[in-house]
Amino acid sequence: DVVLTQTPPTLSATIGQSVSISCRSSQSLLHSNGNTYLHWLLQRPGQSPQLLIYSVSRLESGVPNRFSGSGSGTDFTLKISGVEAEDLGVYYCVQGTHAPYTFGAGTKLELK
Amino acid sequence: EVQILETGGGLVKPGGSLRLSCATSGFNFNDYFMNWVRQAPGKGLEWVAQIRNKNYNYATYYAESLEGRVTISRDDSKSSVYLQVSSLRAEDTAIYYCTRGGALGYWGQGVMVTVSS
């Protein structure tokens, strides 16, 4: 199975600070059809996860544009440009290129 | 508005079985893959199973850790997806989420399954 390694495991930020989360894959996530199925989710405390970014860099409808995704192959990054209080929670990367789907272990974003 | 509602959870004895249901509305169910993802208490997310749509011959995929004990199915006429889990173990205790699409774009609120004697 594909292993996704997220770093850091915990991130402390102040409101307005920009932060990045890394997700590294044990193998390339480029599908034979040319797409890369690497997505980012946020799980706020006590809530279900929600999709933020799909296919590396595509912003899900309704998600603020302070969220952005980048990367290719095995290295991917989620950036939050100006953290807001509502952004606190656990961020997960997930890959759907290779069966079975696999998730990163999560990055917990806390207020400093 | 997209709505996803899981039901069927509860307390089950080890070795028992459970059928989870996921009723959806607000989108064309026939167009989408559907997934089950679970989360053990205090832990991260674990993908469980996927069923594709008619265009993909309703192909199914399962997590290796559960293969042989789970069956995912769907009823397009009811816009619903199901997960049958058998030979339940304590480590199957988790919130089970139903999610839409290949990118896991919409999630239900989840249903708790507790396996305990």
Side-chain angles (χ1 to χ4, degrees):
Chain A
D1 295 359
V2 173
V3 176
L4 297 181
T5 302
Q6 276 186 246
T7 55
T10 305
L11 199 47
S12 294
T14 56
I15 300 300
Q17 182 181 351
S18 292
V19 298
S20 293
I21 299 170
S22 170
C23 178
R24 290 189 169 172
S25 175
S26 60
Q27 57 185 279
S28 175
L29 298 183
L30 177 63
H31 194 277
S32 56
N33 65 12
N35 295 319
T36 300
Y37 299 108
L38 187 283
H39 320 302
W40 291 94
L41 309 169
L42 164 62
Q43 187 173 31
R44 297 186 175 95
Q47 295 188 18
S48 302
Q50 68 166 106
L51 179 65
L52 299 175
I53 301 282
Y54 64 97
S55 299
V56 180
S57 58
R58 299 182 180 185
L59 195 66
E60 173 69 349
S61 176
V63 173
N65 61 11
R66 63 179 177 275
F67 292 94
S68 62
S70 62
S72 64
T74 60
D75 287 350
F76 303 91
T77 301
L78 174 72
K79 183 177 180 180
I80 310 172
S81 299
V83 168
E84 298 192 6
E86 66 181 19
D87 301 338
L88 304 183
V90 181
Y91 290 80
Y92 295 95
C93 56
V94 54
Q95 69 82 25
T97 296
H98 304 286
Y101 279 52
T102 48
F103 289 87
T107 294
K108 186 175 183 179
L109 178 60
E110 303 173 327
L111 271 183
K112 189 181 293 183
Chain B
E1 180 192 3
V2 173
Q3 294 193 335
I4 297 176
L5 180 64
E6 304 95 336
T7 56
L11 177 62
V12 186
K13 287 184 167 49
S17 299
L18 207 57
R19 187 190 194 217
L20 304 179
S21 299
C22 169
T24 74
S25 61
F27 63 97
N28 189 352
F29 183 79
N30 297 1
D31 288 344
Y32 288 90
F33 301 173
M34 296 296 296
N35 305 269
W36 287 93
V37 174
R38 69 182 183 179
Q39 186 170 37
K43 302 296 185 183
L45 300 170
E46 179 186 20
W47 177 80
V48 173
Q50 181 183 80
I51 185 165
R52 298 194 170 186
N53 60 11
K54 185 177 181 180
N55 290 345
Y56 289 82
N57 296 316
Y58 301 115
T60 57
Y61 301 88
Y62 299 100
E64 290 180 10
S65 60
L66 287 147
E67 198 146 14
R69 297 196 297 122
V70 295
T71 303
I72 188 171
S73 59
R74 63 190 288 162
D75 185 338
D76 288 354
S77 69
K78 295 182 179 179
S79 298
S80 294
V81 62
Y82 308 95
L83 186 73
Q84 179 78 36
V85 189
S86 61
S87 303
L88 282 158
R89 309 163 181 167
E91 54 264 37
D92 295 318
T93 294
I95 298 173
Y96 286 73
Y97 293 102
C98 177
T99 80
R100 187 191 86 168
L104 313 181
Y106 280 90
W107 295 62
Q109 86 291 343
V111 63
M112 186 70 205
V113 173
T114 303
V115 183
S116 174
S117 54

